[in-house]
Amino acid sequence: MENKKIKIGLIGLGTVGSGVYKTLGTFNNIEVVKIAVKNKNKKRDIPNLDESLITDDPYEVVNNPEIDIVCELIGGMEPAYDLITKAIENGKHIVTANKELLAKRGVEIFNFAEKHNKVVLYEAAIAGGIPIIMPIKTILAGNKISKIEAIINGTTNYILTKMDVQGASYDDVLKEAQELGYAETDPTGDVEGFDAAYKITTLATLAFKKRIKFENVYREGITKVRAEDMKAANDLGYKIKLIASAKLDENGRADVRVHPMLVSKDSTLAHIDYVTNAVSLSGHPIGHITLSGPGAGEFPTASSVVGDILAIAAELGTTDYLLPMMRCNHEELADCINILDTQNKYYLSLNAKNNKGVIGNIGNICAECDISVESIVQKNVSENNTADITVITEICKERNMQNAVKAFEESGFINNVNSLIRVQV
Ligand code: HSE
C-alpha cells in the first residue's frame, strides 16, 4: 500500500479547485487523475496544468474506476447531489465544499455514505480556511457545546465594515464591493443571509449532535441596515455585524438564526473586520473559544480541502472502517424554537413628529407590550420638525417587540419605524 498513489478526481476548477490542484502538486503520494470543468476552453491561470486530465463530463470523474477520492467543488444542489451519490455508489470517498447541499440534503448524503461505508468530509464548506469541523469532531468531542456565535460570511462583513468605517450607505458600499470583486453581481445569497444560514445549519447540527432543518433557521440579511444605524450603534458602544448563532435553551430546544446584531465593542466578534470570519464556541469543559481567519479565497479554502483529502489518504487501505470520528450520523431531529418565542434585547430606531409627550408615549407603548426600556436617546430635531429616537430595550419577548412595532406604526405620533435590530446579550 505504501507506494500506491492516492488518486483524486476534481469536479470544478474555479477559484477553490485551482487552489486545490496547485496545492496537491506538492504531495508525492497524491495524484489528480481527472478534472471536470464546465467550459474546457476557459483560460486558466494554472502553471503546469495537464490539459489531458480535463473533461467537461463530470460523470467521467465519478465513474472512473481508478479514483479513490472525489472532490466536489462546483456548489449548488444539482448536479452536485447526483454526482456525489453516484461517486459513493462507485466506491469513492468524498470531499466537498458545498454548504447549500449539506444544509438541505446532508442527512441523506451522510446516511447514503454510511450505507456504502464511505466518508464525506467538508471542512471547506464552513468558514473556508478556518479549521472548525475537524476540531469539533475530534479534539473538542468531549465538550457539550451550548452556544455558537459566528461571522461566517465575508461579503457581508466586508460591506458592514466599510459602512462603519466610511459612514457610507449599504447601496454605495455594495456597488463598490461589486466593482472590486468582493461581492457577486447577484449578491442575494450573501446579503440576504442564505450563505451564512447554510453554514450555521451544518455547524449547529454537528455541535448539538442533533439535525437542524434548514427551514427552521431564522434568517434576515443586511440590506435594511442604514448608515444611521451604524452611527447610532457606535455612539452607544456597539458595532453591527451579521451574526450566525445557535444555542440550546434550558429545555434543549435549538435556537438557530442569522441576522444583523449590535455587538458590544468589547466583544471579540466586534473586532472581526472586512472578509475575515470567526466562530466563537461556548461549551463545557472548554469554556469559551474563538477561531478566526480567512473564510474564503483560493488558498485558504484549498487548505481545508487538502487537509480532508490527506486525512482520508492517510487511512486508505489501512482499515475497513476509516475515520470513525469524522463520520456524521446525527439523525435525531432537533426541536427548534420559533423566533417569535425567543427573548432578545433590541435596538429600535423611530422617527417621530416633534410633539410634547412623544418620549412618554413611546415609553407607554413599550410598557403596554411588557417591554422595559434600558435607554432612550433623542439628539436633535430635524428641519422638517421630526426627530430620530433610538431605544435600547432590556431583554423581552420577540412576540412583544413585534406587537410594539405594530403599535408604533399605528400610533399616529410615529412617522416611521426606521430599524429594529437585535442586540447581543
Ligand atoms: N460567499 C462566501 C462569503 C464565501 O462571502 O463569505 C464562500 O462561502
Side-chain angles (χ1 to χ4, degrees):
M1 217 38 231
E2 263 167 37
N3 296 325
K4 184 184 173 286
K5 281 198 176 191
I6 305 298
K7 306 277 170 51
I8 309 294
L10 295 184
I11 303 178
L13 195 59
T15 307
V16 179
S18 302
V20 171
Y21 182 81
K22 290 173 195 168
T23 308
L24 285 178
T26 61
F27 291 87
N28 294 329
N29 60 331
I30 308 276
E31 184 182 354
V32 176
V33 297
K34 205 79 192 154
I35 306 170
V37 299
K38 210 174 190 173
N39 178 2
K40 276 176 87 170
N41 301 321
K42 188 175 160 188
K43 275 259 153 272
R44 294 167 206 279
D45 181 22
I46 307 177
N48 309 323
L49 176 62
D50 180 352
E51 300 280 348
S52 72
L53 305 181
I54 294 195
T55 173
D56 52 14
D57 177 7
Y59 289 90
E60 277 191 34
V61 173
V62 303
N63 293 326
N64 183 326
E66 248 197 312
I67 289 173
D68 301 297
I69 304 169
V70 167
C71 292
E72 182 274 303
L73 305 171
I74 51 173
M77 298 303 290
E78 288 293 357
Y81 178 81
D82 192 58
L83 290 166
I84 286 177
T85 46
K86 285 265 159 38
I88 292 170
E89 253 172 5
N90 290 340
K92 286 126 189 30
H93 297 283
I94 306 293
V95 174
T96 177
N98 195 330
K99 60 232 160 175
E100 181 180 3
L101 184 60
L102 292 171
K104 293 180 178 168
R105 300 191 75 175
V107 68
E108 293 164 73
I109 291 174
F110 294 121
N111 286 344
F112 192 75
E114 198 57 33
K115 207 171 103 195
H116 290 80
N117 191 16
K118 293 288 166 282
V119 293
V120 178
L121 302 190
Y122 53 92
E123 187 67 66
I126 287 115
I130 303 175
I132 185 71
I133 304 302
M134 209 171 282
I136 292 178
K137 286 185 176 177
T138 57
I139 199 69
L140 295 171
N143 281 271
K144 192 161 173 40
I145 297 172
S146 52
K147 185 171 163 190
I148 303 169
E149 276 187 342
I151 294 174
I152 41 180
N153 182 268
T155 306
T156 46
N157 203 44
Y158 177 88
I159 293 172
L160 292 175
T161 305
K162 277 277 183 179
M163 286 174 70
D164 184 42
V165 171
Q166 297 178 346
S169 73
Y170 166 79
D171 288 328
D172 287 349
V173 175
L174 172 64
K175 200 160 157 272
E176 188 192 314
Q178 285 171 319
E179 279 160 11
L180 291 169
Y182 287 120
E184 311 248 1
T185 318
D186 176 1
T188 314
D190 292 312
V191 299
E192 295 294 359
F194 288 99
D195 177 79
Y198 297 144
K199 293 167 179 167
I200 196 70
T201 300
T202 300
L203 204 49
T205 295
L206 191 61
F208 301 154
K209 300 184 172 65
K210 281 188 183 175
R211 194 146 289 283
I212 306 292
K213 280 182 125 172
F214 177 67
E215 303 80 72
N216 290 335
V217 175
Y218 178 79
R219 178 189 52 77
E220 247 179 63
I222 63 162
T223 55
K224 292 188 198 139
V225 177
R226 306 168 311 140
E228 293 85 348
D229 298 322
M230 284 284 173
K231 167 102 181 52
N234 261 295
D235 292 347
L236 292 162
Y238 296 98
K239 296 283 175 195
I240 301 179
K241 297 286 185 187
L242 184 70
I243 300 293
S245 68
K247 57 178 183 259
L248 288 176
D249 74 6
E250 56 283 2
N251 302 313
R253 288 183 307 171
D255 174 2
V256 187
R257 22 165 146 162
V258 173
H259 55 63
M261 194 185 250
L262 270 70
V263 297
S264 162
K265 284 182 188 173
D266 296 334
S267 75
T268 311
L269 293 182
H271 300 278
I272 305 299
D273 287 331
Y274 297 102
V275 294
T276 303
N277 281 201
V279 181
S280 292
L281 296 178
S282 305
H284 182 77
I286 185 82
H288 184 76
I289 56 166
T290 301
L291 294 99
S292 69
E298 179 178 8
F299 287 109
T301 313
S303 161
S304 292
V305 173
V306 172
D308 279 347
I309 290 173
L310 295 178
I312 296 172
E315 297 206 354
L316 269 178
T318 67
T319 167
D320 289 338
Y321 194 77
L322 55 81
L323 296 169
M325 285 187 88
M326 297 304 296
R327 298 190 179 220
C328 288
N329 44 21
H330 314 308
E331 277 198 75
E332 191 190 340
L333 264 186
D335 184 11
C336 285
I337 190 164
N338 186 298
I339 190 78
L340 286 173
D341 296 322
T342 63
Q343 301 214 41
N344 305 280
K345 184 168 170 165
Y346 297 87
Y347 156 93
L348 180 68
S349 170
L350 302 167
N351 181 264
K353 293 182 183 108
N354 177 26
N355 264 334
K356 296 183 188 87
V358 164
I359 300 284
N361 288 340
I362 292 172
N364 286 340
I365 286 185
C366 285
E368 281 156 20
C369 294
D370 201 18
I371 296 168
S372 176
V373 171
E374 182 184 283
S375 78
I376 185 159
V377 181
Q378 178 191 315
K379 288 206 164 152
N380 46 39
V381 174
S382 302
E383 279 173 12
N384 65 359
N385 207 30
T386 70
D388 275 339
I389 298 160
T390 303
V391 179
I392 301 282
T393 71
E394 293 185 348
I395 294 174
C396 63
K397 291 188 178 144
E398 171 87 19
R399 199 179 296 277
N400 293 352
M401 180 44 86
Q402 295 299 344
N403 288 339
V405 166
K406 214 177 291 162
F408 286 128
E409 283 167 347
E410 292 166 0
S411 69
F413 65 92
I414 297 293
N415 294 322
N416 192 33
V417 176
N418 297 322
S419 300
L420 178 71
I421 306 176
R422 297 170 191 87
V423 179
Q424 187 183 42
V425 286

